[in-house]
mmCIF file of all heavy atoms in Angstrom:
data_model
loop_
_atom_site.group_PDB
_atom_site.id
_atom_site.type_symbol
_atom_site.label_atom_id
_atom_site.label_comp_id
_atom_site.label_asym_id
_atom_site.label_seq_id
_atom_site.Cartn_x
_atom_site.Cartn_y
_atom_site.Cartn_z
ATOM 1 N N TYR A 307 -28.003 -0.033 5.704
ATOM 2 C CA TYR A 307 -29.408 0.479 6.041
ATOM 3 C C TYR A 307 -30.452 -0.670 5.780
ATOM 4 O O TYR A 307 -30.178 -1.545 5.060
ATOM 5 C CB TYR A 307 -29.682 1.719 5.141
ATOM 6 C CG TYR A 307 -29.796 1.468 3.681
ATOM 7 C CD1 TYR A 307 -31.015 1.094 3.039
ATOM 8 C CD2 TYR A 307 -28.688 1.601 2.826
ATOM 9 C CE1 TYR A 307 -31.101 0.899 1.729
ATOM 10 C CE2 TYR A 307 -28.777 1.453 1.484
ATOM 11 C CZ TYR A 307 -29.961 1.025 0.955
ATOM 12 O OH TYR A 307 -30.026 0.806 -0.423
ATOM 13 N N THR A 308 -31.576 -0.475 6.487
ATOM 14 C CA THR A 308 -32.579 -1.460 6.328
ATOM 15 C C THR A 308 -33.703 -0.793 5.394
ATOM 16 O O THR A 308 -33.893 0.381 5.352
ATOM 17 C CB THR A 308 -33.309 -1.737 7.761
ATOM 18 O OG1 THR A 308 -33.744 -0.591 8.380
ATOM 19 C CG2 THR A 308 -32.296 -2.481 8.593
ATOM 20 N N THR A 309 -34.216 -1.748 4.634
ATOM 21 C CA THR A 309 -35.257 -1.324 3.658
ATOM 22 C C THR A 309 -36.378 -2.343 3.627
ATOM 23 O O THR A 309 -36.220 -3.471 4.048
ATOM 24 C CB THR A 309 -34.636 -1.283 2.237
ATOM 25 O OG1 THR A 309 -35.654 -0.693 1.289
ATOM 26 C CG2 THR A 309 -34.276 -2.700 1.656
ATOM 27 N N GLN A 310 -37.603 -1.850 3.393
ATOM 28 C CA GLN A 310 -38.846 -2.775 3.454
ATOM 29 C C GLN A 310 -39.018 -3.379 2.166
ATOM 30 O O GLN A 310 -39.156 -2.685 1.103
ATOM 31 C CB GLN A 310 -39.998 -1.793 3.863
ATOM 32 C CG GLN A 310 -41.302 -2.678 3.874
ATOM 33 C CD GLN A 310 -41.308 -3.710 4.993
ATOM 34 O OE1 GLN A 310 -40.972 -3.468 6.150
ATOM 35 N NE2 GLN A 310 -41.770 -4.933 4.651
ATOM 36 N N ILE A 311 -39.260 -4.699 2.151
ATOM 37 C CA ILE A 311 -39.612 -5.445 0.942
ATOM 38 C C ILE A 311 -40.983 -5.867 1.165
ATOM 39 O O ILE A 311 -41.343 -6.531 2.193
ATOM 40 C CB ILE A 311 -38.782 -6.671 0.676
ATOM 41 C CG1 ILE A 311 -37.303 -6.241 0.536
ATOM 42 C CG2 ILE A 311 -39.207 -7.506 -0.557
ATOM 43 C CD1 ILE A 311 -36.927 -5.323 -0.639
ATOM 44 N N THR A 312 -42.001 -5.491 0.271
ATOM 45 C CA THR A 312 -43.376 -5.871 0.400
ATOM 46 C C THR A 312 -43.796 -6.696 -0.826
ATOM 47 O O THR A 312 -43.692 -6.149 -1.993
ATOM 48 C CB THR A 312 -44.218 -4.543 0.598
ATOM 49 O OG1 THR A 312 -43.744 -3.804 1.792
ATOM 50 C CG2 THR A 312 -45.764 -4.977 0.742
ATOM 51 N N ASN A 313 -44.323 -7.897 -0.631
ATOM 52 C CA ASN A 313 -44.712 -8.678 -1.805
ATOM 53 C C ASN A 313 -43.567 -8.901 -2.765
ATOM 54 O O ASN A 313 -43.848 -8.916 -3.998
ATOM 55 C CB ASN A 313 -45.958 -8.205 -2.330
ATOM 56 C CG ASN A 313 -47.150 -8.279 -1.435
ATOM 57 O OD1 ASN A 313 -47.250 -9.188 -0.624
ATOM 58 N ND2 ASN A 313 -48.031 -7.333 -1.526
ATOM 59 N N GLY A 314 -42.320 -8.890 -2.412
ATOM 60 C CA GLY A 314 -41.287 -9.145 -3.269
ATOM 61 C C GLY A 314 -40.687 -7.896 -3.895
ATOM 62 O O GLY A 314 -39.598 -7.994 -4.594
ATOM 63 N N PHE A 315 -41.165 -6.681 -3.580
ATOM 64 C CA PHE A 315 -40.662 -5.419 -4.226
ATOM 65 C C PHE A 315 -40.337 -4.381 -3.228
ATOM 66 O O PHE A 315 -40.959 -4.352 -2.058
ATOM 67 C CB PHE A 315 -41.680 -4.912 -5.238
ATOM 68 C CG PHE A 315 -41.935 -5.788 -6.476
ATOM 69 C CD1 PHE A 315 -42.950 -6.766 -6.386
ATOM 70 C CD2 PHE A 315 -41.169 -5.721 -7.580
ATOM 71 C CE1 PHE A 315 -43.174 -7.555 -7.478
ATOM 72 C CE2 PHE A 315 -41.326 -6.498 -8.625
ATOM 73 C CZ PHE A 315 -42.348 -7.467 -8.615
ATOM 74 N N GLY A 316 -39.451 -3.551 -3.556
ATOM 75 C CA GLY A 316 -39.079 -2.351 -2.739
ATOM 76 C C GLY A 316 -38.283 -1.316 -3.525
ATOM 77 O O GLY A 316 -37.922 -1.655 -4.688
ATOM 78 N N SER A 317 -37.982 -0.206 -2.923
ATOM 79 C CA SER A 317 -37.238 0.811 -3.666
ATOM 80 C C SER A 317 -36.605 1.818 -2.683
ATOM 81 O O SER A 317 -37.088 1.876 -1.504
ATOM 82 C CB SER A 317 -38.161 1.632 -4.660
ATOM 83 O OG SER A 317 -39.114 2.286 -3.966
ATOM 84 N N ASP A 318 -35.583 2.491 -3.129
ATOM 85 C CA ASP A 318 -34.835 3.492 -2.270
ATOM 86 C C ASP A 318 -34.234 4.504 -3.304
ATOM 87 O O ASP A 318 -34.006 4.166 -4.408
ATOM 88 C CB ASP A 318 -33.778 2.826 -1.418
ATOM 89 C CG ASP A 318 -34.324 2.335 -0.082
ATOM 90 O OD1 ASP A 318 -34.969 3.072 0.659
ATOM 91 O OD2 ASP A 318 -34.174 1.077 0.148
ATOM 92 N N THR A 319 -33.916 5.674 -2.673
ATOM 93 C CA THR A 319 -33.202 6.615 -3.471
ATOM 94 C C THR A 319 -32.025 7.056 -2.624
ATOM 95 O O THR A 319 -31.998 7.389 -1.434
ATOM 96 C CB THR A 319 -33.986 7.896 -3.655
ATOM 97 O OG1 THR A 319 -35.173 7.617 -4.537
ATOM 98 C CG2 THR A 319 -33.168 8.882 -4.418
ATOM 99 N N LEU A 320 -30.750 6.874 -3.256
ATOM 100 C CA LEU A 320 -29.618 7.189 -2.593
ATOM 101 C C LEU A 320 -29.020 8.449 -3.292
ATOM 102 O O LEU A 320 -29.292 8.784 -4.465
ATOM 103 C CB LEU A 320 -28.462 6.018 -2.769
ATOM 104 C CG LEU A 320 -28.844 4.712 -2.152
ATOM 105 C CD1 LEU A 320 -27.648 3.796 -2.313
ATOM 106 C CD2 LEU A 320 -29.342 4.758 -0.703
ATOM 107 N N ILE A 321 -28.186 9.200 -2.514
ATOM 108 C CA ILE A 321 -27.549 10.395 -3.076
ATOM 109 C C ILE A 321 -26.012 10.001 -3.127
ATOM 110 O O ILE A 321 -25.447 9.602 -2.152
ATOM 111 C CB ILE A 321 -27.825 11.624 -2.189
ATOM 112 C CG1 ILE A 321 -29.261 11.909 -2.126
ATOM 113 C CG2 ILE A 321 -27.068 12.815 -2.709
ATOM 114 C CD1 ILE A 321 -29.621 13.114 -1.227
ATOM 115 N N ILE A 322 -25.448 10.393 -4.298
ATOM 116 C CA ILE A 322 -24.030 10.124 -4.470
ATOM 117 C C ILE A 322 -23.388 11.459 -4.781
ATOM 118 O O ILE A 322 -23.892 12.306 -5.563
ATOM 119 C CB ILE A 322 -23.843 9.172 -5.679
ATOM 120 C CG1 ILE A 322 -24.516 7.852 -5.543
ATOM 121 C CG2 ILE A 322 -22.339 8.949 -5.910
ATOM 122 C CD1 ILE A 322 -24.391 6.924 -6.585
ATOM 123 N N ALA A 323 -22.244 11.718 -4.093
ATOM 124 C CA ALA A 323 -21.605 12.999 -4.254
ATOM 125 C C ALA A 323 -20.098 12.882 -4.092
ATOM 126 O O ALA A 323 -19.658 12.011 -3.316
ATOM 127 C CB ALA A 323 -22.120 13.929 -3.229
ATOM 128 N N PRO A 324 -19.317 13.697 -4.812
ATOM 129 C CA PRO A 324 -17.867 13.665 -4.680
ATOM 130 C C PRO A 324 -17.547 14.470 -3.375
ATOM 131 O O PRO A 324 -18.275 15.350 -2.951
ATOM 132 C CB PRO A 324 -17.326 14.388 -5.886
ATOM 133 C CG PRO A 324 -18.485 15.296 -6.273
ATOM 134 C CD PRO A 324 -19.705 14.632 -5.905
ATOM 135 N N VAL A 325 -16.375 14.041 -2.800
ATOM 136 C CA VAL A 325 -15.883 14.756 -1.538
ATOM 137 C C VAL A 325 -14.440 14.731 -1.721
ATOM 138 O O VAL A 325 -13.754 13.844 -2.274
ATOM 139 C CB VAL A 325 -16.393 14.055 -0.334
ATOM 140 C CG1 VAL A 325 -15.807 12.620 -0.211
ATOM 141 C CG2 VAL A 325 -16.043 14.908 0.929
ATOM 142 N N LYS A 326 -13.769 15.785 -1.217
ATOM 143 C CA LYS A 326 -12.254 15.913 -1.272
ATOM 144 C C LYS A 326 -11.633 16.027 0.189
ATOM 145 O O LYS A 326 -12.420 16.375 1.080
ATOM 146 C CB LYS A 326 -11.838 17.073 -2.035
ATOM 147 C CG LYS A 326 -12.255 18.485 -1.543
ATOM 148 C CD LYS A 326 -11.949 19.577 -2.519
ATOM 149 C CE LYS A 326 -12.396 20.914 -1.883
ATOM 150 N NZ LYS A 326 -12.104 22.082 -2.885
ATOM 151 N N SER A 327 -10.386 15.803 0.261
ATOM 152 C CA SER A 327 -9.711 15.906 1.622
ATOM 153 C C SER A 327 -9.554 17.405 1.865
ATOM 154 O O SER A 327 -9.637 18.336 1.074
ATOM 155 C CB SER A 327 -8.361 15.178 1.625
ATOM 156 O OG SER A 327 -7.493 15.920 0.827
ATOM 157 N N THR A 328 -9.205 17.676 3.150
ATOM 158 C CA THR A 328 -9.024 19.081 3.594
ATOM 159 C C THR A 328 -7.791 19.745 2.994
ATOM 160 O O THR A 328 -7.647 20.930 2.998
ATOM 161 C CB THR A 328 -8.974 19.201 5.072
ATOM 162 O OG1 THR A 328 -7.965 18.245 5.599
ATOM 163 C CG2 THR A 328 -10.281 18.786 5.668
ATOM 164 N N ILE A 329 -6.814 18.866 2.485
ATOM 165 C CA ILE A 329 -5.598 19.444 1.956
ATOM 166 C C ILE A 329 -5.623 19.377 0.432
ATOM 167 O O ILE A 329 -4.552 19.739 -0.256
ATOM 168 C CB ILE A 329 -4.372 18.643 2.447
ATOM 169 C CG1 ILE A 329 -4.441 17.232 2.044
ATOM 170 C CG2 ILE A 329 -4.214 18.717 3.960
ATOM 171 C CD1 ILE A 329 -3.162 16.483 2.264
ATOM 172 N N ALA A 330 -6.796 19.090 -0.156
ATOM 173 C CA ALA A 330 -6.856 18.977 -1.694
ATOM 174 C C ALA A 330 -6.735 20.357 -2.304
ATOM 175 O O ALA A 330 -7.132 21.395 -1.774
ATOM 176 C CB ALA A 330 -8.197 18.349 -2.063
ATOM 177 N N ASN A 331 -5.886 20.417 -3.394
ATOM 178 C CA ASN A 331 -5.704 21.708 -4.109
ATOM 179 C C ASN A 331 -5.635 21.364 -5.566
ATOM 180 O O ASN A 331 -5.599 20.224 -5.953
ATOM 181 C CB ASN A 331 -4.558 22.499 -3.540
ATOM 182 C CG ASN A 331 -3.294 21.723 -3.499
ATOM 183 O OD1 ASN A 331 -2.916 21.009 -4.462
ATOM 184 N ND2 ASN A 331 -2.588 21.694 -2.391
ATOM 185 N N GLU A 332 -5.270 22.373 -6.393
ATOM 186 C CA GLU A 332 -5.175 22.114 -7.881
ATOM 187 C C GLU A 332 -3.889 21.376 -8.245
ATOM 188 O O GLU A 332 -3.822 20.745 -9.248
ATOM 189 C CB GLU A 332 -5.116 23.525 -8.573
ATOM 190 C CG GLU A 332 -6.482 24.240 -8.474
ATOM 191 C CD GLU A 332 -6.475 25.501 -9.277
ATOM 192 O OE1 GLU A 332 -5.368 25.886 -9.797
ATOM 193 O OE2 GLU A 332 -7.567 26.185 -9.403
ATOM 194 N N VAL A 333 -2.982 21.234 -7.327
ATOM 195 C CA VAL A 333 -1.772 20.431 -7.474
ATOM 196 C C VAL A 333 -1.960 19.053 -7.196
ATOM 197 O O VAL A 333 -1.641 18.160 -8.193
ATOM 198 C CB VAL A 333 -0.570 20.991 -6.655
ATOM 199 C CG1 VAL A 333 0.699 20.160 -6.952
ATOM 200 C CG2 VAL A 333 -0.292 22.427 -7.021
ATOM 201 N N ASN A 334 -2.542 18.638 -6.033
ATOM 202 C CA ASN A 334 -2.732 17.288 -5.721
ATOM 203 C C ASN A 334 -4.005 16.719 -6.164
ATOM 204 O O ASN A 334 -4.408 15.569 -5.909
ATOM 205 C CB ASN A 334 -2.390 17.061 -4.241
ATOM 206 C CG ASN A 334 -3.427 17.754 -3.384
ATOM 207 O OD1 ASN A 334 -4.494 18.193 -3.698
ATOM 208 N ND2 ASN A 334 -2.945 18.147 -2.142
ATOM 209 N N LEU A 335 -4.914 17.559 -6.818
ATOM 210 C CA LEU A 335 -6.093 17.153 -7.350
ATOM 211 C C LEU A 335 -6.262 17.627 -8.822
ATOM 212 O O LEU A 335 -7.034 18.482 -9.112
ATOM 213 C CB LEU A 335 -7.295 17.655 -6.521
ATOM 214 C CG LEU A 335 -8.711 16.973 -6.686
ATOM 215 C CD1 LEU A 335 -8.522 15.526 -6.283
ATOM 216 C CD2 LEU A 335 -9.662 17.677 -5.870
ATOM 217 N N PRO A 336 -5.404 17.084 -9.685
ATOM 218 C CA PRO A 336 -5.240 17.551 -11.072
ATOM 219 C C PRO A 336 -6.555 17.297 -11.828
ATOM 220 O O PRO A 336 -7.361 16.386 -11.557
ATOM 221 C CB PRO A 336 -4.067 16.728 -11.543
ATOM 222 C CG PRO A 336 -4.096 15.442 -10.922
ATOM 223 C CD PRO A 336 -4.527 15.909 -9.443
ATOM 224 N N ALA A 337 -6.678 17.976 -13.019
ATOM 225 C CA ALA A 337 -7.828 17.802 -13.918
ATOM 226 C C ALA A 337 -7.839 16.445 -14.553
ATOM 227 O O ALA A 337 -6.774 15.951 -14.776
ATOM 228 C CB ALA A 337 -7.898 18.961 -14.877
ATOM 229 N N GLY A 338 -8.943 16.013 -14.946
ATOM 230 C CA GLY A 338 -8.965 14.660 -15.745
ATOM 231 C C GLY A 338 -10.124 13.845 -15.288
ATOM 232 O O GLY A 338 -10.876 14.215 -14.278
ATOM 233 N N TYR A 339 -10.396 12.764 -15.940
ATOM 234 C CA TYR A 339 -11.457 11.769 -15.586
ATOM 235 C C TYR A 339 -11.188 11.110 -14.245
ATOM 236 O O TYR A 339 -9.995 10.900 -13.957
ATOM 237 C CB TYR A 339 -11.670 10.774 -16.699
ATOM 238 C CG TYR A 339 -12.273 11.253 -17.931
ATOM 239 C CD1 TYR A 339 -11.413 11.471 -19.185
ATOM 240 C CD2 TYR A 339 -13.672 11.504 -18.068
ATOM 241 C CE1 TYR A 339 -11.991 11.938 -20.292
ATOM 242 C CE2 TYR A 339 -14.164 12.001 -19.306
ATOM 243 C CZ TYR A 339 -13.372 12.198 -20.349
ATOM 244 O OH TYR A 339 -13.950 12.642 -21.506
#
Side-chain angles (χ1 to χ4, degrees):
Y307 64 90
T308 55
T309 188
Q310 178 65 46
I311 302 297
T312 303
N313 296 325
F315 293 92
S317 62
D318 276 303
T319 299
L320 303 186
I321 298 175
I322 304 179
V325 65
K326 64 185 179 183
S327 73
T328 56
I329 62 171
N331 53 49
E332 293 183 357
V333 176
N334 59 30
L335 199 59
Y339 289 104

